[in-house]
Amino acid sequence: MAHDGPHIVPKSVLLRVFGGLIVLTILTVAVAYVPLGPLGVPVAIGIAAVKASLVVLFFMHLKYDNPVNALTFTIGTIFVIVFVAITLLDTAFRGDLGNVNQRTVQEIQAEQERAEQRNEALPADSLRIAPADYPDQERGASMSTEGGS
Amino acid sequence: MGDFWLPEAASTMAPEVDSLFNFVTVVSTILLVGVVAAMLWFVYRYRRQDPGERPAPVEESKLLEISWIVIPTILVLLVFNWGFKSFIKQKTVPPDAYEIRVQARQWSWTFEYPNGVTSDTMYVPANEPVKTTMSSSNVLHSFFVPAFRVKQDVLPNRYSSVWFEATKKGTYDVFCTEYCGLDHSEMDAAVKVVSRERFDQWLKESATPTDIPLPRLGEQLYSQQGCQGCHSLDGSDMVGPTWQGLYGKTGHEMADGSTVTVDENYLRTSILQSGDKIVQGYQNVMPSYSNLSEREVAGLVAFIKEQSDQEPPQN
Amino acid sequence: MSTTTQDAPVEDEAHHDEETNYLNHDTGIWSWLATKDHKRIGILYCISLAVVFLAAGILALFMRAELSAPGETIMGNETYNQVFTMHGILMVFLFLVPSIPAILGNFVLPMQIGAKDVAFPKLNLASWYVYMAGAILTIAALLTGGVDTGWTFYTPYSSTTGGGVLWMTAAIFVAGFASIFTGLNFIVTVHKMRAPGMTWNRLPLFIWGIYATSIVQVLATPVIGITMVLLILEQTMQIGIFDPALGGDPVLFQHFFWFYSHPAVYIMILPAFGILSELIATFSRSRIFGYRAIALSSVAIAMLGFLVWGHHMFVSGQSAISSIVFSLITYLIGIPSGIKVFNWVATLYKGSIWLQTPMLYALSFLFLFTIGGFTGIMVGVLAVDVQLHDTYYVVSHFHYVMMGGSVVALLGGMHYWWPKITGRMYNETLGKIAAGLVFVGFNLTFFPQLVLGSRGMPRRYANYAERFAGLHELSTYGSWVLGAGLFLILGYALWSLAYGEEAPANPWGATTLEWTNVAAIPDHHNFKRTPLVTRGPYDFHLADEVFGGGDGEALGDDVPRIPEPAPSAPTEDDTAASASA
Amino acid sequence: MATETAPAPTETDGAHDHPAHLEHHFVSSKQQFDSAKLGMWVFLITEVLLFSGMFVAYAVFRQWNPEVFVAASNTLDQMWGTINTVVLLTSSLTVALSIHYIKQDKVKQCVYYLLSTLGLAGVFMVIKYIEYTAKFEHGIYPGAAFDPHGAHYEHLAGMAAAPQFFSIYFVMTGIHGLHVVIGMLVIGAIAFMAWRGSFSSEWYTPVELTGLYWHLVDIVWIFLFPLLYLI
């Protein structure tokens, strides 16, 4: 097959990419010390994505490669995003119509304990879905509120 | 058709779900018959009569192709929209729903009522929205009442709920539909839909344990029903007369000037129709405890008797 | 190297054609166990899968026997739970997922695109060995106490129950690699190994089906792998990801599981679509109506198939918003499937329809899959699914798709390619009888289950209420008819191996390369010369080689048609050009 | 097919040698190379999806327990994490350079850089070992054995989702570490073959594929590092 030799990524390009990766690594560590609030996670993932793209495009040669390989990798990446995003669509909105409690029983109980310690009443809505105030040992305790006139 | 396919409909959601089910079934059947009829007709009409046949290629019809993309799309979006609306209704619990707590375990159900009554049969009042708050003590289960068209997985460490409003009195099946191990298929229960009166009565009767002596029951009720807020046992004067030495007292003076003998009948009347006879020196503030069952009243009376060492004179 | 003939030793050629083929060019058990020939690997898979199908099928008959009447009939709850679990696991992970790609894909795909083999023959063989390792682990699971979790392995039951669950999850992890290897191989083969002139628009639809399947295999299978790893860690180390008692989330497990297992449904059905297109085209001798729509809808289904997994979880406790999104996308995926059915029926129009056994299976498929599709729409309706979820309606629905779709298509495909695989014909009369028994038996088994389910009969029940008894009994009778049909097929297939009539190279008058350019029993290297493709896969009006010269001369059914292969590739430049396309 | 036995036209055959590495079912070296490379890319996306499961678990539990994840993440040693990131990035560079050189038939440099990669991978694993043992000493184990003690870790004991964080941490870095070990074995073998002179600019497919695999291992770490150590 008469093809004109393999494509070679110049050493200078490889070194420059490596330099970029190191700079970005320092950047992401530095940024971790800056209080960004809710932006912290997206910024860190953004920097990681840029680093990954550098590796994919230059170290992995995808920039110069057959487009089918690039398409393959893109599709793989898209499905990872789909997997994460759609699962979060459930977990972030768990209990949105009230047919499932957003919080676990453990969490509710922990909150009740804290409330008891503060000697406070619980928020009304957590009582509504989690009627743990009539546990077995106090059967009939709330009868007066139910049956009394 | 609904009778063939679907079980008895006994909740407000059922007719809605059923009409959707029937709609999809009818449309599907029509389309299925159409597809199969066309297929069979072509198979018959264009059967190979000569092994060397070379039929001319058929021109593709863009119109045809577009029509069988567009029409099904419209149909399914219609069905989606319908199902979506019913689903929202199915999942949105009415705020005034009566709450029953459901505990699932391998392999049985327990239903717990706000007054602490527990039962392995679910009683619900007819024509009232009922909400279940469910959790599981070990693995996944699923609460399914075919007649109500409700189903919801029951999770450990998390409360989930369904709601329904039963429309027909009767007894229906509760199934577990999430596989939960050995006796999954035996994990069923009955749900009994009864009138509100019957329901209240059942609730009251069940709340009254029959296995403890009457005085002890009365003692429990004394605190549970809030009697101790007004009636002392040590003779001290509170909002109401003390129960110490009350029973058997003669010449008990009423606000209207009459006197009574404190016997069982008097106590009973005072509990059930508290406003009838007001003791001299006290306000008419006691609520009527007509919701108590016969046995509970008897229990209270027995408890009051214990607080006194005298008997009413026999006459 | 430019042409393919150089591999066939020139001095042998005179005898070569008559006597040596892929079955007899090398003999001995080792020549099979170490083969890198895609055709032989297909046969290895075929034998293994037939054993698994037999085992899982017998389990199904036992289940139906137990359910023939309420109460305990032939087995207790514990046995029943293990039996339905094994039926599900064997059928799904060890039979349906590999079935069509591993048997027919392996055998047919390289020939249909004009290649000498798949891109990575060693990997292909490795796939079979890995599959067998998975099968052995499955047996280990049985020996260590069996599994009664259901094939879905829902936590926390699966992570806390004992027995062979650990082995079984390991088996599924391992068997997943077999699936990945096959899919990877086919993707590369279709991209890089096509014969000159075999453009994407000229790919037979079976190739499109397998190609779309391979995409799903490659993208989804790793997720079941990591799910099984996490489940194993949950069992052994209690890592608390899925077990609610440890702070995990059981619904998260269901996301993981269905992210694979819903696309796995498309792994099972997409190749069946491919087979169906071949059958319909060949036996109606007409170009597939809407070729492009069918080809692209396969890929569209493969991609959209990843976005709908949550429709298995409408009552699981996931958020309502995700239920709604999943339901909407589920409908969108129903449409490409519908388009296919309409196109296949339209293909029959003005064709020349030959009702041989494979075509009977194709027509059965159209009926059964349509029911499977419509019941699928039904269970995708949010409010109705609440009633139907985890009942026999769902059981029946997925059997209409998996058995009525995939297995019926596989049976059709096996009959269709049987002459090419074995060089022998099966008995046509028995074939038609068996096809009839399968069709009748299937409907008798599963239609009553649709009604049972909508009436509220939950699935995975060893025992049931009296009012469901009649339909269950009917379903059990149906399973006997279905079983009889399948055993009849096994019987005459074995008979045909020994006594079947010798098959001509192209008994059906098909136009794809494995029929027109390959000997009756394929050569070790498939083609004498790499073919040059000059027409579409179903251009019967252009396919002179099918008709022995194109003069329209009528040939009897029993006269073997003499294929005149497409010309061979002229230069290597064409080959390379198309190969890198 | 008896009519089709005429020898094929062989006009180009004589002019063409048949390289030893070319398998019989491929038409040309280019076809073989392209196939291998596409195959590798397809394999890489299966790896990506394998890791995606753990990323989903991470995302879900982080979203439910953001404070716990921050607190638990702070107990990881950022210094070791950063050093390991640099080590892996450097190893990625060295493996890219080894491919750069083999394409020019510079076998010696290729072997040298492959061995450097191997060494850096070893350094990575040693640091991972140091980190793991430091955690084990304080009772930080995955799963049921989780029992944090010691000044730096005690506050984790009462946190609801801290075991989940460390389970995910150990599973993610464990499976990643497994990939590093497999990579080390493969790189070792490839370096040996290169030293034996198996590769040249004509045929270097195994070096190229190993490089692709190694870069993917690097990419996974690029994401693991901020998720586990920084945020």
Side-chain angles (χ1 to χ4, degrees), chain C residues 88-302:
Chain C
I89 289 174
L90 290 180
M91 279 294 188
V92 171
F93 292 109
L94 293 179
F95 177 73
L96 281 165
V97 165
S99 64
I100 298 175
I103 303 173
L104 292 173
N106 258 329
F107 192 89
V108 173
L109 180 135
M111 288 196 272
Q112 270 196 343
I113 63 171
K116 280 199 245 180
D117 207 323
V118 293
F120 310 114
K122 280 180 228 156
L123 194 67
N124 205 12
L125 181 64
S127 156
W128 181 72
Y129 276 102
V130 169
Y131 172 83
M132 293 308 284
I136 288 166
L137 284 170
T138 306
I139 293 167
L142 281 180
L143 296 180
T144 51
V147 182
D148 70 341
T149 60
W151 75 278
T152 47
F153 294 103
Y154 274 14
T155 52
Y157 185 67
S158 64
S159 66
T160 52
T161 192
V165 180
L166 207 61
W167 290 99
M168 189 55 84
T169 41
I172 287 164
F173 177 77
V174 169
F177 281 98
S179 187
I180 290 177
F181 291 169
T182 306
L184 189 155
N185 230 330
F186 288 165
I187 289 179
V188 177
T189 308
V190 171
H191 270 279
K192 302 293 182 190
M193 308 287 285
R194 283 169 286 130
M198 181 59 85
T199 58
W200 286 94
N201 281 329
R202 287 176 181 165
L203 283 180
L205 286 167
F206 180 64
I207 303 294
W208 275 104
I210 295 280
Y211 177 71
T213 308
S214 304
I215 295 176
V216 185
Q217 282 179 312
V218 162
L219 287 173
T221 317
V223 176
I224 195 74
I226 189 67
T227 310
M228 290 298 139
V229 168
L230 290 176
L231 185 53
I232 289 170
L233 293 175
E234 189 78 58
Q235 289 161 346
T236 53
M237 298 169 74
Q238 288 84 45
I239 56 170
I241 304 293
F242 298 139
D243 187 346
L246 305 166
D249 185 26
V251 181
L252 185 64
F253 176 83
Q254 296 170 29
H255 281 294
F256 274 64
F257 181 82
W258 290 112
F259 184 85
Y260 165 75
S261 293
H262 190 73
V265 171
Y266 298 101
I267 296 178
M268 304 176 213
I269 196 68
L270 284 169
F273 290 160
I275 291 180
L276 208 75
S277 299
E278 299 298 308
L279 299 183
I280 298 265
T282 301
F283 291 95
S284 62
R285 204 170 275 175
S286 54
R287 194 151 54 173
I288 287 286
F289 190 93
Y291 167 90
R292 219 173 258 256
I294 289 191
L296 294 180
S297 64
S298 286
V299 180
I301 289 173

Side-chain angles (χ1 to χ4, degrees), chain D residues 19-184:
Chain D
H21 62 263
L22 182 61
E23 291 179 71
H24 82 278
H25 59 288
F26 287 110
V27 175
S28 65
S29 293
K30 183 174 184 330
Q31 187 189 28
Q32 183 171 353
F33 178 73
D34 284 353
S35 299
K37 206 159 172 187
L38 178 60
M40 193 65 199
W41 276 104
V42 173
F43 173 71
L44 292 186
I45 65 170
T46 69
E47 291 278 15
V48 168
L49 278 140
L50 183 83
F51 279 100
S52 77
M54 290 173 279
F55 283 111
V56 170
Y58 175 90
V60 166
F61 283 98
R62 184 187 176 90
Q63 176 224 333
W64 278 339
N65 311 285
E67 305 88 5
V68 178
F69 266 51
V70 169
S73 160
N74 285 337
T75 65
L76 296 181
D77 196 324
Q78 279 190 12
M79 180 194 70
W80 284 130
T82 312
I83 292 175
N84 253 352
T85 309
V86 174
V87 166
L88 265 198
L89 287 174
T90 316
S91 75
S92 246
L93 175 71
T94 54
V95 91
L97 284 170
S98 76
I99 294 164
H100 173 83
Y101 283 113
I102 196 68
K103 283 177 177 174
Q104 302 168 47
D105 285 319
K106 293 179 179 163
V107 174
K108 215 175 96 185
Q109 284 93 327
C110 170
V111 173
Y112 166 73
Y113 278 113
L114 281 174
L115 291 176
S116 317
T117 311
L118 195 59
L120 288 164
V123 170
F124 180 88
M125 289 311 291
V126 168
I127 293 179
K128 214 67 236 155
Y129 173 80
I130 294 171
E131 284 191 82
Y132 270 30
T133 44
K135 292 285 168 286
F136 291 158
E137 273 170 20
H138 292 94
I140 307 281
Y141 289 101
F146 185 76
D147 175 30
H149 50 79
H152 192 44
Y153 300 97
E154 256 166 9
H155 64 290
L156 296 174
M159 290 189 177
Q164 270 75 25
F165 176 87
F166 285 101
S167 293
I168 291 170
Y169 165 78
F170 281 113
V171 172
M172 273 180 151
T173 54
I175 293 183
H176 178 261
L178 190 66
H179 279 79
V180 172
V181 171
I182 292 170
M184 287 169 75

